[in-house]
Amino acid sequence: MAMEESLNVFGEPLLPCSEDPVTGFFRDGCCNTSAEDLGSHTVCVEMSQEFLEYSRFRGNDLSTPVPQFGFPGLQPGDRWCLCAARWLEAHEQNMAPRVFLQRTHQKALDTVPLSVLRRFAADLN
């Protein structure tokens, strides 16, 4: 699998999203991506209870551990590389979690405009 260049939405080096729990399509702690990452797990978010409930309602239960896949289950406050389309869908339903732009891969911009992501930025002053 050829990984896309590891750059954030500002064209700068991509910072890690989370190593506890370990996130990312490659489970490298970063929101790196490749052509094989069909879901584009590129948006680094901070989980909220509201978003976790929304995601479970939409058929993607991120709260329940799945030990056989090494998935610990997420809790509010955890950071996670979320699919760009799922983040955009949540945004359209007023359920979008906060975003860490320096930890979000530039490939997310293929799906979500930077101006929209900026409104949810957790890492801008």
Side-chain angles (χ1 to χ4, degrees):
M1 286 191 271
M3 189 183 302
E4 296 266 343
E5 192 172 4
S6 194
L7 297 174
N8 67 26
V9 297
F10 303 118
E12 300 166 346
L14 184 67
L15 298 178
C17 182
S18 176
E19 296 193 10
D20 184 22
V22 177
T23 190
F25 179 75
F26 292 100
R27 289 299 190 262
D28 61 357
C30 293
C31 296
N32 284 307
T33 190
S34 72
E36 289 79 13
D37 178 13
L38 301 179
S40 187
H41 295 78
T42 52
V43 181
C44 182
V45 303
E46 179 180 14
M47 288 292 150
S48 65
Q49 186 63 42
E50 181 181 58
F51 176 77
L52 288 167
E53 290 172 10
Y54 170 77
S55 190
R56 188 178 71 242
F57 173 76
R58 296 292 299 144
N60 187 19
D61 182 358
L62 297 171
S63 303
T64 302
V66 185
Q68 62 267 38
F69 293 112
F71 180 69
L74 302 176
Q75 299 181 20
D78 286 344
R79 285 186 283 182
W80 195 250
C81 294
L82 195 61
C83 295
R86 178 57 55 124
W87 188 91
L88 184 59
E89 173 190 287
H91 168 336
E92 291 167 350
Q93 298 299 315
N94 296 314
M95 295 287 189
R98 293 173 6 130
V99 175
F100 295 91
L101 296 176
Q102 295 175 313
R103 302 167 192 280
T104 293
H105 196 282
Q106 67 180 1
K107 193 76 173 162
L109 299 178
D110 290 353
T111 304
V112 185
L114 182 57
S115 60
V116 174
L117 289 171
R118 276 183 180 273
R119 294 198 312 256
F120 293 83
D123 56 353
L124 293 181
N125 295 334

